[in-house]
Amino acid sequence: MKLNYNIVLIGFMGTGKSTISAHLSRCFDMETVDMDQVIAEKEGMSISKIFETYGEEYFRNAETNLLKELQSRKNVVISCGGGTPLREENVKEMKKNGKVVLLTAKPETIFERVKDNHDRPLLENNKSVEFIEELMLKRMDKYMAAADIIIETDNKSKQEICDELINAL
């Protein structure tokens, strides 16, 4: 399967964007771009360190610039950071050359997936189901507005999620 567009995965942290993008790229020989990873490599520091050193706005600008760079590519699975679709400009860039797929999960599921991870600056001192739920609710309208396809990831295998995604495309 060769796509003449990109698949752009969005959703709250811990919904499976990185896992699913890696699985899709293995199953369909697609290149994968994990935006957080690319930005961290370009900046030579972790996302947490970028937030700490330059602030969130700087990081959000880096996301926008990277999305613009990716416009020239096709057949790429782009895994966005959780906050990427909160900017209108980013959503416009995603839709120019991609199908936007929103991955969702219950706050409890997300908590289980991220509780031992320390690379999530917005959660680091707020790891609770309540905080996750609150932040998710704040973002949900923007996520829904950006999405072409919505896939629930709770209690599904990587393969089930990928099959559902491919069928939806």
Side-chain angles (χ1 to χ4, degrees):
M1 184 176 86
K2 275 271 187 232
L3 300 176
N4 63 348
Y5 56 85
N6 296 322
I7 297 174
V8 184
L9 300 179
I10 66 168
F12 199 75
M13 56 192 102
T15 53
K17 297 180 301 289
S18 298
T19 304
I20 296 308
S21 69
H23 196 68
L24 276 173
S25 84
R26 272 195 305 277
C27 295
F28 299 104
D29 193 32
M30 295 175 78
E31 191 187 339
T32 180
V33 171
D34 186 311
M35 287 184 61
D36 282 356
Q37 202 179 326
V38 170
I39 292 168
E41 282 167 15
K42 276 186 178 176
E43 296 292 333
M45 60 179 85
S46 69
I47 301 302
S48 300
K49 194 82 182 138
I50 294 169
F51 266 68
E52 200 182 298
T53 311
Y54 301 111
E56 185 173 356
E57 184 70 10
Y58 179 91
F59 175 73
R60 298 299 171 204
N61 290 336
E63 286 180 320
T64 303
N65 294 334
L66 180 55
L67 280 170
K68 287 177 180 169
E69 279 174 39
L70 292 169
Q71 287 309 320
S72 61
R73 316 249 294 272
K74 287 179 173 52
N75 202 46
V76 177
V77 186
I78 301 167
S79 174
C80 296
T84 311
L86 303 181
R87 257 193 192 182
E88 202 68 35
E89 185 183 2
N90 291 349
V91 175
K92 282 191 185 112
E93 290 298 327
M94 291 172 194
K95 288 188 175 285
K96 274 183 194 170
N97 184 27
K99 294 272 186 254
V100 181
V101 180
L102 171 61
L103 299 181
T104 66
K106 293 183 180 81
E108 295 76 10
T109 304
I110 290 169
F111 177 74
E112 281 307 310
R113 290 175 182 168
V114 303
K115 68 177 188 227
D116 298 324
N117 184 309
H118 298 288
D119 301 329
R120 305 185 187 266
L122 293 176
L123 275 192
E124 195 45 48
N125 301 311
N126 296 297
K127 279 195 192 133
S128 70
V129 172
E130 295 73 27
F131 181 81
I132 290 168
E133 189 167 20
E134 197 178 302
L135 193 53
M136 278 174 76
L137 282 172
K138 279 186 196 149
R139 293 178 169 189
M140 199 45 77
D141 287 349
K142 297 246 192 224
Y143 285 164
M144 298 301 258
D148 296 313
I149 298 165
I150 299 167
I151 296 179
E152 171 63 62
T153 66
D154 290 293
N155 307 314
K156 287 182 191 162
S157 71
K158 288 185 283 205
Q159 193 58 53
E160 287 171 316
I161 295 165
C162 288
D163 290 346
E164 197 176 320
L165 195 156
I166 296 306
N167 290 336
L169 290 172

PDB file of all heavy atoms in Angstrom, residues 10 12 56 60 63 81-91 94 122 135-136 138-144 146:
ATOM      1  N   ILE A  10      -3.225  12.102  15.793  1.00  0.00           N
ATOM      2  CA  ILE A  10      -3.335  13.081  16.869  1.00  0.00           C
ATOM      3  C   ILE A  10      -4.049  12.432  18.049  1.00  0.00           C
ATOM      4  O   ILE A  10      -4.642  11.356  17.918  1.00  0.00           O
ATOM      5  CB  ILE A  10      -4.099  14.369  16.430  1.00  0.00           C
ATOM      6  CG1 ILE A  10      -5.574  14.055  16.108  1.00  0.00           C
ATOM      7  CG2 ILE A  10      -3.399  15.034  15.258  1.00  0.00           C
ATOM      8  CD1 ILE A  10      -6.462  15.288  15.948  1.00  0.00           C
ATOM      9  N   PHE A  12      -4.526  12.713  22.731  1.00  0.00           N
ATOM     10  CA  PHE A  12      -3.911  13.005  24.005  1.00  0.00           C
ATOM     11  C   PHE A  12      -2.700  12.102  24.205  1.00  0.00           C
ATOM     12  O   PHE A  12      -2.603  11.036  23.599  1.00  0.00           O
ATOM     13  CB  PHE A  12      -4.945  12.779  25.122  1.00  0.00           C
ATOM     14  CG  PHE A  12      -4.597  13.454  26.413  1.00  0.00           C
ATOM     15  CD1 PHE A  12      -4.760  14.828  26.540  1.00  0.00           C
ATOM     16  CD2 PHE A  12      -4.106  12.739  27.484  1.00  0.00           C
ATOM     17  CE1 PHE A  12      -4.428  15.472  27.733  1.00  0.00           C
ATOM     18  CE2 PHE A  12      -3.777  13.367  28.675  1.00  0.00           C
ATOM     19  CZ  PHE A  12      -3.946  14.739  28.799  1.00  0.00           C
ATOM     20  N   GLU A  56       6.986  26.792  26.393  1.00  0.00           N
ATOM     21  CA  GLU A  56       6.047  26.035  25.556  1.00  0.00           C
ATOM     22  C   GLU A  56       5.863  26.673  24.182  1.00  0.00           C
ATOM     23  O   GLU A  56       5.779  25.984  23.167  1.00  0.00           O
ATOM     24  CB  GLU A  56       4.693  25.894  26.265  1.00  0.00           C
ATOM     25  CG  GLU A  56       3.731  25.007  25.498  1.00  0.00           C
ATOM     26  CD  GLU A  56       2.435  24.694  26.230  1.00  0.00           C
ATOM     27  OE1 GLU A  56       2.268  25.097  27.398  1.00  0.00           O
ATOM     28  OE2 GLU A  56       1.583  24.038  25.607  1.00  0.00           O
ATOM     29  N   ARG A  60       5.979  24.927  20.553  1.00  0.00           N
ATOM     30  CA  ARG A  60       4.816  24.924  19.645  1.00  0.00           C
ATOM     31  C   ARG A  60       5.196  25.483  18.275  1.00  0.00           C
ATOM     32  O   ARG A  60       4.716  25.009  17.250  1.00  0.00           O
ATOM     33  CB  ARG A  60       3.642  25.707  20.239  1.00  0.00           C
ATOM     34  CG  ARG A  60       3.096  25.148  21.541  1.00  0.00           C
ATOM     35  CD  ARG A  60       2.553  23.745  21.423  1.00  0.00           C
ATOM     36  NE  ARG A  60       2.231  23.172  22.728  1.00  0.00           N
ATOM     37  CZ  ARG A  60       2.185  21.874  22.970  1.00  0.00           C
ATOM     38  NH1 ARG A  60       2.423  21.007  22.021  1.00  0.00           N
ATOM     39  NH2 ARG A  60       1.885  21.431  24.174  1.00  0.00           N
ATOM     40  N   GLU A  63       6.923  22.802  16.363  1.00  0.00           N
ATOM     41  CA  GLU A  63       5.947  21.847  15.812  1.00  0.00           C
ATOM     42  C   GLU A  63       5.370  22.358  14.492  1.00  0.00           C
ATOM     43  O   GLU A  63       5.287  21.622  13.510  1.00  0.00           O
ATOM     44  CB  GLU A  63       4.777  21.641  16.788  1.00  0.00           C
ATOM     45  CG  GLU A  63       5.103  20.811  18.003  1.00  0.00           C
ATOM     46  CD  GLU A  63       3.913  20.633  18.923  1.00  0.00           C
ATOM     47  OE1 GLU A  63       3.136  21.590  19.130  1.00  0.00           O
ATOM     48  OE2 GLU A  63       3.747  19.518  19.442  1.00  0.00           O
ATOM     49  N   GLY A  81       2.614  15.448  18.682  1.00  0.00           N
ATOM     50  CA  GLY A  81       2.550  15.618  20.129  1.00  0.00           C
ATOM     51  C   GLY A  81       1.101  15.916  20.517  1.00  0.00           C
ATOM     52  O   GLY A  81       0.320  16.391  19.684  1.00  0.00           O
ATOM     53  N   GLY A  82       0.752  15.653  21.753  1.00  0.00           N
ATOM     54  CA  GLY A  82      -0.623  15.843  22.221  1.00  0.00           C
ATOM     55  C   GLY A  82      -1.177  17.245  22.026  1.00  0.00           C
ATOM     56  O   GLY A  82      -2.369  17.430  21.796  1.00  0.00           O
ATOM     57  N   GLY A  83      -0.306  18.259  22.069  1.00  0.00           N
ATOM     58  CA  GLY A  83      -0.767  19.636  21.946  1.00  0.00           C
ATOM     59  C   GLY A  83      -0.771  20.186  20.522  1.00  0.00           C
ATOM     60  O   GLY A  83      -1.283  21.273  20.270  1.00  0.00           O
ATOM     61  N   THR A  84      -0.228  19.428  19.575  1.00  0.00           N
ATOM     62  CA  THR A  84      -0.086  19.927  18.204  1.00  0.00           C
ATOM     63  C   THR A  84      -1.398  20.432  17.589  1.00  0.00           C
ATOM     64  O   THR A  84      -1.419  21.508  17.005  1.00  0.00           O
ATOM     65  CB  THR A  84       0.567  18.857  17.296  1.00  0.00           C
ATOM     66  OG1 THR A  84       1.734  18.350  17.938  1.00  0.00           O
ATOM     67  CG2 THR A  84       0.972  19.446  15.951  1.00  0.00           C
ATOM     68  N   PRO A  85      -2.519  19.689  17.712  1.00  0.00           N
ATOM     69  CA  PRO A  85      -3.750  20.148  17.051  1.00  0.00           C
ATOM     70  C   PRO A  85      -4.447  21.314  17.758  1.00  0.00           C
ATOM     71  O   PRO A  85      -5.502  21.765  17.306  1.00  0.00           O
ATOM     72  CB  PRO A  85      -4.657  18.924  17.047  1.00  0.00           C
ATOM     73  CG  PRO A  85      -4.009  17.906  17.885  1.00  0.00           C
ATOM     74  CD  PRO A  85      -2.670  18.376  18.312  1.00  0.00           C
ATOM     75  N   LEU A  86      -3.884  21.819  18.842  1.00  0.00           N
ATOM     76  CA  LEU A  86      -4.520  22.923  19.558  1.00  0.00           C
ATOM     77  C   LEU A  86      -4.338  24.236  18.798  1.00  0.00           C
ATOM     78  O   LEU A  86      -5.069  25.189  19.011  1.00  0.00           O
ATOM     79  CB  LEU A  86      -3.951  23.053  20.977  1.00  0.00           C
ATOM     80  CG  LEU A  86      -4.073  21.786  21.838  1.00  0.00           C
ATOM     81  CD1 LEU A  86      -3.509  22.034  23.224  1.00  0.00           C
ATOM     82  CD2 LEU A  86      -5.513  21.305  21.923  1.00  0.00           C
ATOM     83  N   ARG A  87      -3.360  24.262  17.900  1.00  0.00           N
ATOM     84  CA  ARG A  87      -3.124  25.441  17.063  1.00  0.00           C
ATOM     85  C   ARG A  87      -3.834  25.281  15.736  1.00  0.00           C
ATOM     86  O   ARG A  87      -3.572  24.346  14.995  1.00  0.00           O
ATOM     87  CB  ARG A  87      -1.627  25.563  16.766  1.00  0.00           C
ATOM     88  CG  ARG A  87      -0.940  26.599  17.560  1.00  0.00           C
ATOM     89  CD  ARG A  87       0.445  26.865  16.972  1.00  0.00           C
ATOM     90  NE  ARG A  87       1.194  27.657  17.923  1.00  0.00           N
ATOM     91  CZ  ARG A  87       2.417  28.087  17.719  1.00  0.00           C
ATOM     92  NH1 ARG A  87       3.042  27.790  16.600  1.00  0.00           N
ATOM     93  NH2 ARG A  87       3.023  28.806  18.635  1.00  0.00           N
ATOM     94  N   GLU A  88      -4.680  26.238  15.423  1.00  0.00           N
ATOM     95  CA  GLU A  88      -5.438  26.248  14.168  1.00  0.00           C
ATOM     96  C   GLU A  88      -4.518  26.078  12.954  1.00  0.00           C
ATOM     97  O   GLU A  88      -4.795  25.306  12.044  1.00  0.00           O
ATOM     98  CB  GLU A  88      -6.167  27.599  14.081  1.00  0.00           C
ATOM     99  CG  GLU A  88      -7.365  27.589  13.176  1.00  0.00           C
ATOM    100  CD  GLU A  88      -8.509  26.744  13.702  1.00  0.00           C
ATOM    101  OE1 GLU A  88      -8.724  26.683  14.937  1.00  0.00           O
ATOM    102  OE2 GLU A  88      -9.194  26.133  12.868  1.00  0.00           O
ATOM    103  N   GLU A  89      -3.415  26.799  12.968  1.00  0.00           N
ATOM    104  CA  GLU A  89      -2.451  26.769  11.866  1.00  0.00           C
ATOM    105  C   GLU A  89      -1.910  25.350  11.638  1.00  0.00           C
ATOM    106  O   GLU A  89      -1.722  24.920  10.496  1.00  0.00           O
ATOM    107  CB  GLU A  89      -1.298  27.721  12.222  1.00  0.00           C
ATOM    108  CG  GLU A  89      -0.281  27.897  11.126  1.00  0.00           C
ATOM    109  CD  GLU A  89       0.896  28.784  11.535  1.00  0.00           C
ATOM    110  OE1 GLU A  89       0.942  29.248  12.706  1.00  0.00           O
ATOM    111  OE2 GLU A  89       1.766  28.997  10.684  1.00  0.00           O
ATOM    112  N   ASN A  90      -1.683  24.623  12.714  1.00  0.00           N
ATOM    113  CA  ASN A  90      -1.174  23.256  12.604  1.00  0.00           C
ATOM    114  C   ASN A  90      -2.194  22.349  11.934  1.00  0.00           C
ATOM    115  O   ASN A  90      -1.845  21.514  11.099  1.00  0.00           O
ATOM    116  CB  ASN A  90      -0.814  22.696  13.981  1.00  0.00           C
ATOM    117  CG  ASN A  90       0.398  23.383  14.581  1.00  0.00           C
ATOM    118  OD1 ASN A  90       1.093  24.133  13.911  1.00  0.00           O
ATOM    119  ND2 ASN A  90       0.648  23.139  15.847  1.00  0.00           N
ATOM    120  N   VAL A  91      -3.446  22.511  12.308  1.00  0.00           N
ATOM    121  CA  VAL A  91      -4.513  21.674  11.743  1.00  0.00           C
ATOM    122  C   VAL A  91      -4.607  21.928  10.230  1.00  0.00           C
ATOM    123  O   VAL A  91      -4.733  20.989   9.445  1.00  0.00           O
ATOM    124  CB  VAL A  91      -5.866  21.931  12.450  1.00  0.00           C
ATOM    125  CG1 VAL A  91      -6.982  21.153  11.771  1.00  0.00           C
ATOM    126  CG2 VAL A  91      -5.764  21.549  13.925  1.00  0.00           C
ATOM    127  N   MET A  94      -1.810  20.042   8.627  1.00  0.00           N
ATOM    128  CA  MET A  94      -2.059  18.594   8.638  1.00  0.00           C
ATOM    129  C   MET A  94      -2.991  18.184   7.507  1.00  0.00           C
ATOM    130  O   MET A  94      -2.799  17.162   6.862  1.00  0.00           O
ATOM    131  CB  MET A  94      -2.726  18.173   9.958  1.00  0.00           C
ATOM    132  CG  MET A  94      -1.866  18.263  11.174  1.00  0.00           C
ATOM    133  SD  MET A  94      -2.924  17.950  12.634  1.00  0.00           S
ATOM    134  CE  MET A  94      -1.853  18.496  13.934  1.00  0.00           C
ATOM    135  N   LEU A 122       3.913  18.214  30.749  1.00  0.00           N
ATOM    136  CA  LEU A 122       2.631  18.728  31.242  1.00  0.00           C
ATOM    137  C   LEU A 122       2.017  17.848  32.328  1.00  0.00           C
ATOM    138  O   LEU A 122       1.146  18.270  33.063  1.00  0.00           O
ATOM    139  CB  LEU A 122       1.635  18.884  30.087  1.00  0.00           C
ATOM    140  CG  LEU A 122       1.999  19.963  29.059  1.00  0.00           C
ATOM    141  CD1 LEU A 122       1.013  19.960  27.910  1.00  0.00           C
ATOM    142  CD2 LEU A 122       2.050  21.337  29.702  1.00  0.00           C
ATOM    143  N   LEU A 135      -7.601  17.871  31.551  1.00  0.00           N
ATOM    144  CA  LEU A 135      -6.832  18.353  30.404  1.00  0.00           C
ATOM    145  C   LEU A 135      -7.422  17.816  29.093  1.00  0.00           C
ATOM    146  O   LEU A 135      -7.515  18.536  28.106  1.00  0.00           O
ATOM    147  CB  LEU A 135      -5.356  17.941  30.557  1.00  0.00           C
ATOM    148  CG  LEU A 135      -4.334  18.600  29.640  1.00  0.00           C
ATOM    149  CD1 LEU A 135      -4.419  20.124  29.676  1.00  0.00           C
ATOM    150  CD2 LEU A 135      -2.925  18.161  30.018  1.00  0.00           C
ATOM    151  N   MET A 136      -7.846  16.560  29.112  1.00  0.00           N
ATOM    152  CA  MET A 136      -8.464  15.970  27.926  1.00  0.00           C
ATOM    153  C   MET A 136      -9.737  16.719  27.536  1.00  0.00           C
ATOM    154  O   MET A 136      -9.957  17.004  26.361  1.00  0.00           O
ATOM    155  CB  MET A 136      -8.833  14.504  28.184  1.00  0.00           C
ATOM    156  CG  MET A 136      -7.700  13.545  28.024  1.00  0.00           C
ATOM    157  SD  MET A 136      -8.195  11.881  28.520  1.00  0.00           S
ATOM    158  CE  MET A 136      -9.184  11.380  27.113  1.00  0.00           C
ATOM    159  N   LYS A 138     -10.493  19.797  28.144  1.00  0.00           N
ATOM    160  CA  LYS A 138     -10.125  21.108  27.599  1.00  0.00           C
ATOM    161  C   LYS A 138      -9.735  21.002  26.129  1.00  0.00           C
ATOM    162  O   LYS A 138      -9.959  21.927  25.359  1.00  0.00           O
ATOM    163  CB  LYS A 138      -8.924  21.687  28.365  1.00  0.00           C
ATOM    164  CG  LYS A 138      -9.281  22.343  29.672  1.00  0.00           C
ATOM    165  CD  LYS A 138      -8.039  23.008  30.270  1.00  0.00           C
ATOM    166  CE  LYS A 138      -8.258  23.327  31.733  1.00  0.00           C
ATOM    167  NZ  LYS A 138      -7.028  23.261  32.527  1.00  0.00           N
ATOM    168  N   ARG A 139      -9.126  19.893  25.752  1.00  0.00           N
ATOM    169  CA  ARG A 139      -8.597  19.739  24.396  1.00  0.00           C
ATOM    170  C   ARG A 139      -9.562  19.053  23.427  1.00  0.00           C
ATOM    171  O   ARG A 139      -9.375  19.131  22.219  1.00  0.00           O
ATOM    172  CB  ARG A 139      -7.310  18.904  24.445  1.00  0.00           C
ATOM    173  CG  ARG A 139      -6.179  19.615  25.143  1.00  0.00           C
ATOM    174  CD  ARG A 139      -4.953  18.740  25.205  1.00  0.00           C
ATOM    175  NE  ARG A 139      -3.789  19.493  25.641  1.00  0.00           N
ATOM    176  CZ  ARG A 139      -2.557  19.011  25.613  1.00  0.00           C
ATOM    177  NH1 ARG A 139      -2.328  17.790  25.169  1.00  0.00           N
ATOM    178  NH2 ARG A 139      -1.551  19.748  26.022  1.00  0.00           N
ATOM    179  N   MET A 140     -10.566  18.358  23.949  1.00  0.00           N
ATOM    180  CA  MET A 140     -11.381  17.474  23.114  1.00  0.00           C
ATOM    181  C   MET A 140     -12.050  18.180  21.934  1.00  0.00           C
ATOM    182  O   MET A 140     -12.089  17.634  20.837  1.00  0.00           O
ATOM    183  CB  MET A 140     -12.409  16.735  23.973  1.00  0.00           C
ATOM    184  CG  MET A 140     -12.968  15.486  23.296  1.00  0.00           C
ATOM    185  SD  MET A 140     -11.741  14.389  22.486  1.00  0.00           S
ATOM    186  CE  MET A 140     -11.030  13.536  23.878  1.00  0.00           C
ATOM    187  N   ASP A 141     -12.563  19.388  22.113  1.00  0.00           N
ATOM    188  CA  ASP A 141     -13.226  20.093  21.012  1.00  0.00           C
ATOM    189  C   ASP A 141     -12.269  20.309  19.836  1.00  0.00           C
ATOM    190  O   ASP A 141     -12.629  20.104  18.689  1.00  0.00           O
ATOM    191  CB  ASP A 141     -13.770  21.457  21.471  1.00  0.00           C
ATOM    192  CG  ASP A 141     -15.000  21.297  22.356  1.00  0.00           C
ATOM    193  OD1 ASP A 141     -15.536  20.173  22.445  1.00  0.00           O
ATOM    194  OD2 ASP A 141     -15.425  22.305  22.956  1.00  0.00           O
ATOM    195  N   LYS A 142     -11.050  20.700  20.169  1.00  0.00           N
ATOM    196  CA  LYS A 142     -10.043  20.938  19.124  1.00  0.00           C
ATOM    197  C   LYS A 142      -9.665  19.622  18.442  1.00  0.00           C
ATOM    198  O   LYS A 142      -9.503  19.574  17.225  1.00  0.00           O
ATOM    199  CB  LYS A 142      -8.786  21.582  19.715  1.00  0.00           C
ATOM    200  CG  LYS A 142      -9.048  22.944  20.310  1.00  0.00           C
ATOM    201  CD  LYS A 142      -8.340  24.013  19.538  1.00  0.00           C
ATOM    202  CE  LYS A 142      -8.369  25.311  20.299  1.00  0.00           C
ATOM    203  NZ  LYS A 142      -8.681  26.434  19.463  1.00  0.00           N
ATOM    204  N   TYR A 143      -9.505  18.566  19.231  1.00  0.00           N
ATOM    205  CA  TYR A 143      -9.190  17.247  18.670  1.00  0.00           C
ATOM    206  C   TYR A 143     -10.289  16.817  17.705  1.00  0.00           C
ATOM    207  O   TYR A 143     -10.021  16.386  16.592  1.00  0.00           O
ATOM    208  CB  TYR A 143      -9.067  16.192  19.777  1.00  0.00           C
ATOM    209  CG  TYR A 143      -7.799  16.232  20.609  1.00  0.00           C
ATOM    210  CD1 TYR A 143      -7.754  15.546  21.823  1.00  0.00           C
ATOM    211  CD2 TYR A 143      -6.650  16.904  20.203  1.00  0.00           C
ATOM    212  CE1 TYR A 143      -6.601  15.537  22.606  1.00  0.00           C
ATOM    213  CE2 TYR A 143      -5.495  16.901  20.982  1.00  0.00           C
ATOM    214  CZ  TYR A 143      -5.474  16.214  22.183  1.00  0.00           C
ATOM    215  OH  TYR A 143      -4.345  16.198  22.948  1.00  0.00           O
ATOM    216  N   MET A 144     -11.546  16.921  18.156  1.00  0.00           N
ATOM    217  CA  MET A 144     -12.682  16.484  17.345  1.00  0.00           C
ATOM    218  C   MET A 144     -12.789  17.311  16.062  1.00  0.00           C
ATOM    219  O   MET A 144     -13.050  16.775  14.996  1.00  0.00           O
ATOM    220  CB  MET A 144     -13.990  16.601  18.128  1.00  0.00           C
ATOM    221  CG  MET A 144     -14.061  15.725  19.374  1.00  0.00           C
ATOM    222  SD  MET A 144     -13.856  13.986  19.019  1.00  0.00           S
ATOM    223  CE  MET A 144     -15.543  13.462  19.105  1.00  0.00           C
ATOM    224  N   ALA A 146     -10.414  18.702  14.417  1.00  0.00           N
ATOM    225  CA  ALA A 146      -9.303  18.394  13.509  1.00  0.00           C
ATOM    226  C   ALA A 146      -9.457  17.033  12.835  1.00  0.00           C
ATOM    227  O   ALA A 146      -8.958  16.818  11.731  1.00  0.00           O
ATOM    228  CB  ALA A 146      -7.981  18.437  14.278  1.00  0.00           C
TER     229      ALA A 146
END
